[in-house]
Amino acid sequence: MSQTLKMTFGYGESDFTRQYALEVADSLALDCKTKIKAINTSLAGGTAGGLSSFFISDDGEHNLTSIVSAQLESQTVTYLDLTSGGASSAQ
């Protein structure tokens, strides 16, 4: 089963934010918090290798300064087998 990582990117003094949603394998989900904190540290220290200027605001005037929030979501879906009367679960 995979999880969805939802992040909000912040752009300095600007009120502009951008939201992203990525599918993350369960085996990688536990590392998301550590990786996001490392990205924020490198953005603050100017060592992000161009990441800040790759993700820019819509007006092009503001660079990414941090990932301001993040959450992991998982979902269980139950498929109803309407042909044989049974139900099955998939994650």
Side-chain angles (χ1 to χ4, degrees), residues 18-68:
R18 182 170 281 137
Q19 296 174 354
Y20 291 93
L22 306 168
E23 292 297 315
V24 178
D26 283 342
S27 60
L28 302 174
L30 293 177
D31 291 331
C32 287
K33 181 178 179 179
T34 303
K35 299 292 184 187
I36 291 169
K37 288 178 127 184
I39 289 169
N40 282 344
T41 299
S42 66
L43 286 166
T47 59
L51 185 65
S52 64
S53 59
F54 183 81
F55 290 97
I56 59 172
S57 61
D58 285 349
D59 62 12
E61 294 183 22
H62 304 282
N63 290 349
L64 171 67
T65 54
S66 69
I67 300 172
V68 295

